[in-house]
């Protein structure tokens, strides 16, 4: 009985490989602003994959690269005195670019039979750093941002699908308030999310699509199960 099951699974893998319908060994990217529902959808998707015994790997944001500790230090400790702080957005952007490419080399380009799930990847880094650079440098930000974006988009790993989770900005803010882990009430934070979301949807998604990458917009106000069904239909599992 075990031999028959093994043969059936082996034949299935061969057929899927030959006819190009397999979602095994591919990179799936989830993107979206804070509290859009992305993490909840990923958790529901992971549960389904586990139920179906489909192997997967999750590439986390700040783990698994030599610059992860530098990024954490930069976020928490870059202070000259109590009254003065460095503008660290350029430095941070370059660290994030290095980290992102390392993560792609480590996970996204290795032959595997797993579905690689990237929880926030190149698009979020681009959109968020743009908002930060714009705040730090005003109209001059683009002189650095455009080359930075080219670095982020250079030699991208092969991505099967990017799933961008979208909710109204007001929904995102309300969810952040309910979580209680952040202070979302400042005008600065709201402007940041608004700027990142607008850039994501008006400029970045069309640009990424122009590179031949499939971007699917998910409605983050739907039940996670509904979005997981859409994901499964899209990647054919």
């Amino acid at each position: 009985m075990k031999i028959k099951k093994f043969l059936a699974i082996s034949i299935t893998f061969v057929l899927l490989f030959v006819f190009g319908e397999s979602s095994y060994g591919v990179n799936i990217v989830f993107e979206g602003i804070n509290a859009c529902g992305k993490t909840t959808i990923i958790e529901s998707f992971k549960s389904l994959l586990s139920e179906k015994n489909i192997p997967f790997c999750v590439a986390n944001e700040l783990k698994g690269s030599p610059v992860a500790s530098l990024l954490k230090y930069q976020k928490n400790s870059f202070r000259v005195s109590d009254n003065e702080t460095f503008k660290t957005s350029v430095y941070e952007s370059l660290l994030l670019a290095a980290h992102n490419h390392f993560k792609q080399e480590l996970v996204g380009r290795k032959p595997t039979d797993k579905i690689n799930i990237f929880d926030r990847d190149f698009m979020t880094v681009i959109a968020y750093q743009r908002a930060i650079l714009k705040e730090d440098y005003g109209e001059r930000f683009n002189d650095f941002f455009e080359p930075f974006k080219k670095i982020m988009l250079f030699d991208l790993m092969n991505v099967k699908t990017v799933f961008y989770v979208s909710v109204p900005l007001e929904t995102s803010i309300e969810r952040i308030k309910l979580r209680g882990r952040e202070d979302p009430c400042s005008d600065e934070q709201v402007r940041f999310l608004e700027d990142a979301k607008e850039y994501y949807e008006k400029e970045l998604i069309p640009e990424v699509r122009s590179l031949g990458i499939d971007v699917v917009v998910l409605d983050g106000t739907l039940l996670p199960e509904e979005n997981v069904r859409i994901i499964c239909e899209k990647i054919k599992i």
Side-chain angles (χ1 to χ4, degrees), residues 72-85:
K72 289 181 179 178
Y73 173 77
Q74 185 272 328
K75 286 178 180 295
N76 298 325
S77 307
F78 246 119
R79 185 173 293 276
V80 186
S81 69
D82 291 337
N83 299 316
E84 184 180 1
T85 58

Side-chain angles (χ1 to χ4, degrees), residues 2 12 17 39 72 83 116 175 216:
K2 289 183 178 179
T12 300
F17 177 78
T39 302
K72 289 181 179 178
N83 299 316
N116 296 323
R175 287 177 176 177
V216 174

Side-chain angles (χ1 to χ4, degrees), residues 65-128:
S65 96
V67 299
S69 59
L70 292 174
L71 281 163
K72 289 181 179 178
Y73 173 77
Q74 185 272 328
K75 286 178 180 295
N76 298 325
S77 307
F78 246 119
R79 185 173 293 276
V80 186
S81 69
D82 291 337
N83 299 316
E84 184 180 1
T85 58
F86 283 118
K87 285 183 181 178
T88 59
S89 51
V90 168
Y91 172 72
E92 180 184 62
S93 297
L94 293 173
L95 286 177
L96 284 167
H99 168 76
N100 194 260
H101 279 286
F102 178 89
K103 184 172 59 172
Q104 290 188 19
E105 290 288 345
L106 183 70
V107 179
R109 291 193 176 91
K110 288 188 177 181
T112 178
D113 62 348
K114 298 178 181 180
I115 292 179
N116 296 323
I117 299 171
F118 287 79
D119 181 358
R120 278 190 172 164
D121 200 62
F122 65 100
M123 290 178 70
T124 294
V125 173
I126 291 171
Y128 275 27

